[in-house]
């Protein structure tokens, strides 16, 4: 780390290194923020806000269902999501592990869907997630999200592997 700000390096090189490091930190923060917006969007019933997280050609695959951008927009109208919202729900995502490569990134998270059930909250869905993201003119967007129940299957475990 000390070598990055080493005064013996030319000032132009030091500035370039610092700018590169700053961009990486900003990208990682923007990706984490983007992913964190998913739960509040669907829990509030805002399908437009959820769809805005994806690219126009984006997809969301969970279990055996593949949704395009219109399907993502309609997520909050699904009977299961309507029932969750009527009871009180929270889509909770873990902090993402991000692999950043210039203008594309992969992130891995766990997710839990909690539903209010009398005096308690019940985890009705616990999943592994792999997010493929791309930098666009409007900032980072999700190109693809794969979500699998953590039910002991190899398919779900593979989503968690870098």
């Amino acid at each position: 780390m000390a070598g990055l700000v080493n005064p013996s390096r030319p000032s132009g090189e030091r500035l370039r290194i610092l700018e590169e490091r700053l961009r990486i930190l900003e990208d990682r923060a923007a990706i984490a923020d983007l992913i964190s917006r998913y739960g509040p969007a669907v829990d509030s019933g805002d399908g437009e806000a959820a769809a805005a997280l994806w690219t126009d050609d984006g997809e969301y695959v969970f279990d055996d269902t593949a949704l395009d951008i219109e399907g993502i927009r309609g997520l909050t109208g699904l009977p299961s999501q309507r029932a969750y919202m009527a009871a009180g729900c929270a889509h909770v995502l873990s902090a993402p592990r991000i692999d950043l490569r210039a203008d594309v990134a992969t992130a891995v998270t766990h997710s839990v869907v909690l539903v209010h059930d009398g005096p308690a909250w019940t985890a009705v869905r616990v999943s592994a997630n792999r997010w493929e993201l791309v930098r666009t003119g409007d900032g980072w967007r999700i190109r693809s999200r794969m979500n699998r129940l953590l039910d002991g299957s190899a398919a779900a475990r593979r989503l968690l592997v870098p």
Side-chain angles (χ1 to χ4, degrees):
M1 182 99 69
L4 293 176
V5 292
N6 185 333
S8 66
R9 289 183 182 237
S11 62
E13 182 182 355
R14 285 189 311 231
L15 181 58
R16 181 190 59 74
I17 290 169
L18 289 173
E19 286 173 344
E20 182 179 320
R21 292 183 71 203
L22 178 59
R23 181 167 182 156
I24 289 168
L25 290 171
E26 288 174 337
D27 286 344
R28 293 175 64 79
I31 290 167
D33 181 68
L34 177 72
I35 290 171
S36 75
R37 291 173 185 268
Y38 175 78
V42 296
D43 291 339
S44 68
D46 192 343
E48 290 297 324
L53 304 173
W54 267 261
T55 59
D56 289 340
D57 62 346
E59 71 173 350
Y60 178 21
V61 178
F62 59 95
D63 305 328
D64 295 323
T65 302
L67 301 175
D68 63 9
I69 194 68
E70 288 307 315
I72 295 164
R73 187 171 281 110
L75 271 172
T76 58
L78 294 175
S80 58
Q81 180 60 19
R82 287 279 180 208
Y84 291 166
M85 289 188 303
C89 66
H91 286 71
V92 180
L93 297 161
S94 68
R97 185 186 72 224
I98 300 168
D99 179 19
L100 181 61
R101 304 206 177 181
D103 292 337
V104 297
T106 302
V108 173
T109 64
H110 288 89
S111 61
V112 178
V113 179
L114 299 167
V115 176
H116 189 242
D117 183 17
W121 293 84
T122 302
V124 296
R125 186 174 178 90
V126 179
S127 306
N129 299 268
R130 178 174 296 274
W131 311 74
E132 303 294 332
L133 306 110
V134 62
R135 184 193 316 273
T136 72
D138 295 321
W140 286 94
R141 295 292 180 268
I142 303 161
R143 179 182 296 153
S144 173
R145 177 184 178 191
M146 299 285 299
N147 172 291
R148 294 274 184 250
L149 286 173
L150 283 166
D151 58 3
S153 70
R157 286 192 306 273
R158 278 193 300 273
L159 293 181
L160 299 173
V161 177

